[in-house]
Amino acid sequence: MFSLLRTIVQEVNAARNLDQALEIIVRRVKEAIGVDVCSIYLSDNGARELLLMASDGLNPESVGTVTLSWEEGLVGLVAERAEPVNLENAPAHRRFRYFPETGEERYHAFLGVPIIHHRKVLGVLVVQRHAEGRFDEDTVTLLVTIAAQLAGAIAHAEAVGALDGLQEQNGRMDSRPLPGLPGAAGVAMGTAVVMHPFADIDGIPDRPAESPDAEKTRFLDAVLLVRDDVKGMIERMEGTLPSADSALFDAYLMMLDSDSLTGDTLERIDAGNWAPGALRDTITEHVRAFDAMEDVYLKERVEDVRDLGRRILYRMEQQDKPKERKYPKETVLIGEEITASMLAEVPPECLAGVVSVRGSRTSHTAILARAMGIPAVMGVRDLPVGKVDGRTIIADGYSGRIYINPSETVTLEYIRLQREEAELSEGLLSIRDLPSETTDGFRVPLYANTGLVSDIRPSIHSGAEGVGLYRTEFPFMIRDRFPGEEEQRQVYRQVLEAFQPRPVVMRTLDVGGDKALPYFPIQEDNPFLGWRGIRITLDHPEIFLAQIRAMMKANIGYNNLALLLPMISSVGELDEALVLIHRAHRELLEEGEQVILPAIGVMVEVPSVVFQADRIAQSVDFLSVGTNDLTQYLLAVDRNNGRVAELYESLHPAVLKALIQVVEGAHRHGKPVSVCGEMAGDPAAAILLAGMGMDSLSVSSSSLLRIKWVVRSISMQQARSLLDEALQMDRPELIRERMNAALEENGLGGLVRAGK
Ligand code: PEP
Ligand code: MG
């Protein structure tokens, strides 16, 4: 059954359009279960209506014409109840409705299962038999499993279908937006540019071949190079591998010479695709063919075919490298997973927005996009990445929706919203030099989060009172080895100098989790619960000490540095880190450097520290709450996983209560506490954080003036009473609703949606 499912899902994913995908499903399922009819009904988006989209067994003329509401017929009953209906004799059921055009009266046994995606009923998968009799449990579970597996593939095919439909209609129809998650506020409009990891055959998008001849040469040259590579392998293996094993490489050569690999790819280039897209289709077709084989040996050749595909692609991409890729003026970067280095590849003046299939608001890509002031939409799981390159796209970073090939109406609406947003940002400049204080005179200092040298100017320009979180991993990520002490000192000094005399809180290296260093790979099943942050640097004191020394030396003469320790989960770890910091300080003094011991703080991002905030506060100078991680650990929701993103809510009552406990713990020992996670840049949350008595907030420079506007528009009394109200509520969505209403009441509605 597993292989049946895999084959169907692969075939469906490779289908050209929705109709073809559905036809494959009904044919395959009918064969596999041995029934007389298999049909698929799909629900019209939003409307409670089902349309017969494909059938193997019912009258073909009825496909595309029979519609029924959820309140009608047995198929409607399945959709309405969102669970299987298994009947011995369908015509005898009270909900049976006869559609003469289908010829359905001849069938008795009926089994319908809902196709559900993201909790929504997309449609119904039905099998029928002439004979009377209920379907056995194995068939029911098989059909339920097939429907669950196919839901994603159908949603994907629908999205592709919608695109093709739109293309045919020349944009006359309004495109249906694809849902994702807000990543960074703002609206991006531009041309989709698909990014894919190097030599990733599945990530290759379709793209028109500018010159088919040049594409063919590029492909054939790559095949020749791979041929040489394989021959080299055979020579190196001679004498080491038994001949039966080295026969594998002969098979590679045969495949490379075969007309089905080269010929098919060349044909696809002639049909208009660029070489990597044509190669991807050929490889996918071969993989499918091998995978469908019963012979286990041949089945296993799938990996060889894929390997060969990757090698040819690698060689093609190597040929591309020297050429600088040209980016459209308004580039909206799209990818399965957009990484920091992909962002860095696009000239900043061309980068209009970011759309990623994976990730969510607190992924580091989204944080980086916010630091750069670029709208981002994350977790667009149904986005047909391979089909959107070069299309016009709108990414709404507020609602998390994207529109591909938007109609004129949608475009005009977003042009208006963009203008209003620019006006709003422009208007906010007037409060830049005014204090961040509530209407009744309480100060809530605002600091900037940064990590990019290019972000220094915008941070200063935003009126920040200093840097509340300098993420040192960015300078580590963009190099191909650990930066040395002197190299680091220069980078840190630039930041300290730019902000002095304002304070700069520098965090020690926090890699691991979703932040990988290309030259220090860490493979773990559970990276967020694994070796990250202080755990790595305590295990590698040489890295930690070099960084601390660089920071202290950079601070000479400015004295505006504070140190922040990430991912502390126990007093023991803190003590160890303090020993190393004091040692670095002592050694530098011994070396004659005029260093001072900076203020030291701990990030509260692991729940254990919430319960020991009081104790930890005694040992350090300040606390800073990393709500991005704290929320993920308290609620057990991966901050990068779009599938559970709706559960990730920093306004959860448990998070609010934890934060209050941290404030109380710190204040008991007279130590200040701030919030530097993304929660502080969320206007609704900022009010509650002020109400709790957080001493300061640290936000991305693009959010700073917005948060200042919030602070200056409310009174502390109002913030406290909103907090009291929130603490009476036990559901995050009610708290969010209440806070959004409070923002609207205070004339701050423009901060939670696009437009004024
Ligand atoms: C946090 O966890 O809230 C935080 C600020 O750190 P990072 O997002 O870099 O993990
Ligand atoms: Mg963190």
Side-chain angles (χ1 to χ4, degrees), residues 459-482:
S459 304
I460 295 179
H461 193 68
S462 69
E465 298 190 28
V467 173
L469 171 65
Y470 176 78
R471 289 183 166 94
T472 54
E473 14 329 324
F474 291 130
F476 278 72
M477 274 168 164
I478 53 176
R479 288 179 166 69
D480 55 8
R481 55 177 171 78
F482 283 110

Side-chain angles (χ1 to χ4, degrees), residues 136-157:
D136 61 20
E137 195 168 283
D138 282 353
T139 310
V140 178
T141 50
L142 175 63
L143 211 62
V144 167
T145 315
I146 291 176
Q149 281 269 330
L150 289 176
I154 290 178
H156 193 266

Side-chain angles (χ1 to χ4, degrees), residues 297-420:
Y297 175 78
L298 287 177
K299 224 180 174 53
E300 281 174 1
R301 298 285 66 77
V302 163
E303 266 321 301
D304 299 338
V305 176
R306 296 185 66 84
D307 183 46
L308 206 53
R310 274 192 295 265
R311 285 173 186 280
I312 301 174
L313 181 62
Y314 173 77
R315 283 304 198 173
M316 279 201 272
E317 288 179 339
Q318 261 192 336
Q319 298 172 39
D320 293 344
K321 262 195 137 178
K323 270 192 271 147
E324 276 273 311
R325 182 167 178 183
K326 278 214 194 76
Y327 289 92
K329 233 172 50 222
E330 299 286 325
T331 292
V332 179
L333 269 196
I334 314 256
E336 280 292 329
E337 186 147 29
I338 297 289
T339 60
S341 58
M342 287 176 181
L343 281 181
E345 250 177 60
V346 186
E349 66 279 10
C350 296
L351 189 58
V354 174
V355 175
S356 177
V357 172
R358 294 206 211 116
S360 66
R361 190 182 151 73
T362 44
S363 309
H364 284 94
T365 309
I367 292 175
L368 199 55
R370 270 197 294 286
M372 297 165 83
I374 291 160
V377 176
M378 311 294 289
V380 192
R381 286 200 284 139
D382 296 331
L383 179 69
V385 175
K387 310 282 179 192
V388 297
D389 194 72
R391 304 215 190 205
T392 307
I393 183 166
I394 295 179
D396 178 344
Y398 291 99
S399 65
R401 290 202 200 103
I402 67 160
Y403 296 80
I404 297 159
N405 284 357
S407 67
E408 204 184 318
T409 329
V410 171
T411 309
L412 289 175
E413 178 60 10
Y414 271 101
I415 289 177
R416 185 181 67 76
L417 292 174
Q418 254 186 343
R419 198 183 47 238
E420 288 193 6

Side-chain angles (χ1 to χ4, degrees), residues 606-642:
V606 180
S608 55
V609 174
V610 171
F611 299 102
Q612 285 195 296
D614 180 345
R615 165 64 187 83
I616 301 252
Q618 286 180 47
S619 301
V620 290
D621 301 299
F622 65 97
L623 298 183
S624 184
V625 190
T627 46
N628 305 339
D629 279 313
L630 186 60
T631 305
Q632 98 163 330
Y633 294 132
L634 274 177
L635 304 183
V637 180
D638 180 343
R639 64 193 263 186
N640 279 327
N641 185 344

